[in-house]
Amino acid sequence: MEIILAKQAGFCFGVKRATHLAFEAAERGGETYTLGPIIHSPQVVQRLEEMGVKALPNVDDIESGTIIIRSHGVAAHELDDAMTRNLEIVDATCPFVKKAQDHVAGLSKAGYDVVVVGDLDHPEVQGIVSYATGRVFVVSCEEEAQKLPRMSKIGVVAQTTQSFETLKEVVDVCLEKGSEIRIYNTICDATAVRQEEAKALAGKVDCMLVIGGFNSANTKRLAEVCAELLPRTHHIETASQVDPAWFDGVKKVGVTAGASTPKWLIDEVLERITEVERDKKR
Ligand code: F3S
């Protein structure tokens, strides 16, 4: 059985950087916290916990020590709170997310009403929006953009994981809503590139494994796009969930992983598949 691992499987640039900063902070010791889970990988969160890093939901719960800001950022007031409390801050916000936050702040300051193209429930969007000092709207699609009021100056920024199509559709509507428009394309293509590669792989194998947290939206989406092409797609978090029966009659197996899946989990799954094959030959 041939095992093909996708080139883009696992950590994206921002998650890799955040995880590295978190483990570095954990190694320094002392009271160390993250606001919510640092990334959507229960296994990484557990490892950090074992090293003494606690995930707390609120900055108010933290009196002293070090606070690590997760890759998709936090709201401006949470960062201010952390500073007021004299906490040591390790800012692991992905530089691409930071850029979106900075654009929102700059647009507001320059007198633009801001339109953020994204999902209102997503913490990244809630963080980005918090940097506006004037009016700000969040729209996730063209229909929602149609409901925007007329504005004289509109600044458009996108959630980093938005699709380019949606951004273009919203911008089109904004062109009819305002007389002056400034657009920042803050989309990061890591997610799209990973999905395209996974689709191509699913098209040429007999069985596909997608590794990543069951709470990770990008991993779930990755499993969905693969399953649309290949029903023999399985979303797993760890090697122990691999079922030998999945490989009956399989000649080629494809493996990919979400942006918050560490390399060690991918390696364990690859090892497990090799082991299953070895057992079958016995
Ligand atoms: Fe950053 Fe893009 Fe990853 S915005 S966190 S590199 S998906």
Side-chain angles (χ1 to χ4, degrees):
M1 185 166 66
E2 188 185 351
I3 307 167
I4 309 173
L5 175 66
K7 281 198 190 76
Q8 308 293 330
F11 282 177
C12 62
F13 156 77
V15 168
K16 196 181 212 169
R17 179 176 169 274
T19 311
H20 176 75
L21 288 170
F23 277 101
E24 225 176 43
E27 270 159 24
R28 282 198 297 273
E31 282 177 83
T32 310
Y33 305 92
T34 59
L35 275 185
I38 178 97
I39 58 171
H40 287 136
S41 165
Q43 292 72 27
V44 170
V45 172
Q46 192 190 336
R47 267 208 186 176
L48 283 166
E49 251 169 36
E50 286 161 7
M51 293 172 79
V53 179
K54 289 196 194 92
L56 292 176
N58 258 308
V59 72
D60 301 344
D61 303 329
I62 307 168
E63 292 301 333
S64 56
T66 301
I67 178 171
I68 307 162
I69 308 293
R70 62 195 171 200
S71 57
H72 50 256
V74 291
H77 71 86
E78 289 181 293
L79 207 52
D80 290 347
D81 274 5
M83 284 188 211
T84 328
R85 281 162 188 267
N86 273 328
L87 300 174
E88 195 192 316
I89 299 170
V90 174
D91 192 354
T93 309
C94 173
F96 299 135
V97 174
K98 193 115 218 143
K99 208 173 236 177
Q101 295 173 343
D102 290 346
H103 285 318
V104 168
L107 284 164
S108 272
K109 208 167 160 209
Y112 287 80
D113 288 321
V114 178
V115 173
V116 177
V117 186
D119 168 10
L120 185 58
D121 295 330
H122 197 287
E124 179 195 322
V125 173
Q126 289 160 0
I128 291 174
V129 161
S130 71
Y131 284 81
T133 46
R135 277 207 298 182
V136 58
F137 304 89
V138 178
V139 294
S140 64
C141 60
E142 188 185 348
E143 293 74 49
E144 285 178 22
Q146 296 286 4
K147 294 182 193 139
L148 288 170
R150 277 206 66 78
M151 296 172 261
S152 59
K153 289 166 81 175
I154 307 178
V156 183
V157 171
Q159 180 181 350
T160 54
T161 46
Q162 268 303 300
S163 82
F164 190 58
E165 276 314 303
T166 310
L167 173 63
K168 275 204 296 197
E169 283 164 14
V170 171
V171 165
D172 268 356
V173 177
C174 288
L175 284 169
E176 290 163 16
K177 299 273 178 185
S179 40
E180 187 189 326
I181 303 201
R182 202 188 283 183
I183 304 150
Y184 288 105
N185 178 1
T186 45
I187 292 173
C188 156
D189 66 2
T191 309
V193 169
R194 182 192 320 269
Q195 278 179 14
E196 283 313 308
E197 195 201 10
K199 267 200 241 172
L201 188 54
K204 61 180 183 198
V205 296
D206 313 301
C207 171
M208 190 82 194
L209 298 193
V210 181
I211 317 161
F214 294 136
N215 60 344
S216 153
N218 83 82
T219 310
K220 279 196 265 183
R221 184 72 199 120
L222 203 56
E224 275 165 20
V225 298
C226 291
E228 279 163 19
L229 282 164
L230 184 67
R232 288 179 84 168
T233 294
H234 306 279
H235 178 179
I236 53 170
E237 271 190 358
T238 62
S240 64
Q241 291 156 353
V242 170
D243 181 347
W246 293 341
F247 309 111
D248 288 346
V250 166
K251 289 202 173 65
K252 283 184 189 173
V253 55
V255 178
T256 189
S260 41
T261 309
K263 190 174 174 296
W264 92 72
L265 282 177
I266 302 174
D267 288 345
E268 281 174 12
V269 170
L270 295 176
E271 236 170 77
R272 178 73 188 125
I273 303 172
T274 315
E275 201 178 87
V276 167
E277 215 203 354
R278 216 182 299 131
D279 288 350
K280 282 197 169 176
K281 278 184 188 158
R282 272 187 195 146

